[in-house]
């Protein structure tokens, strides 16, 4: 799990209510332990992230 340091204005994360200091637990059901995990799993075309503080899965569609 990693702490989110910032959220891009207008991004799917911002629209879902993610704020700095929320924690990212997983991406596409892969645990995220550090920034390298984040970079690796976030490079996939479809990204589903688990952020418990917002109480939902956050789906992003990138690289389309």
């Amino acid at each position: 799990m990693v702490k989110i340091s910032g959220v891009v204005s207008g991004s799917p994360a911002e629209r879902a209510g993610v704020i700095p200091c929320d924690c990212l637990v997983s991406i596409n059901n892969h645990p995220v332990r550090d920034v390298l995990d984040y970079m690796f799993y976030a490079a996939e075309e479809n990204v589903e992230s688990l952020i418990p503080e917002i109480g939902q899965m956050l789906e992003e569609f990138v690289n389309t």
Side-chain angles (χ1 to χ4, degrees):
M1 164 169 49
V2 296
K3 189 174 285 191
I4 296 170
S5 62
V7 179
V8 175
S9 180
S11 68
E14 182 187 54
R15 289 191 299 273
V18 176
I19 59 171
C21 295
D22 283 350
C23 292
L24 174 62
V25 174
S26 67
I27 295 177
N28 293 346
N29 295 317
H30 301 286
V32 176
R33 294 173 296 253
D34 56 34
V35 70
L36 294 176
D37 284 344
Y38 168 78
M39 292 171 66
F40 183 77
Y41 296 122
E44 296 180 21
E45 186 172 329
N46 296 321
V47 176
E48 186 175 84
S49 305
L50 175 59
I51 303 170
E53 290 87 352
I54 63 170
Q56 65 184 15
M57 296 296 284
L58 173 63
E59 293 184 48
E60 295 181 54
F61 302 96
V62 294
N63 301 327
T64 56

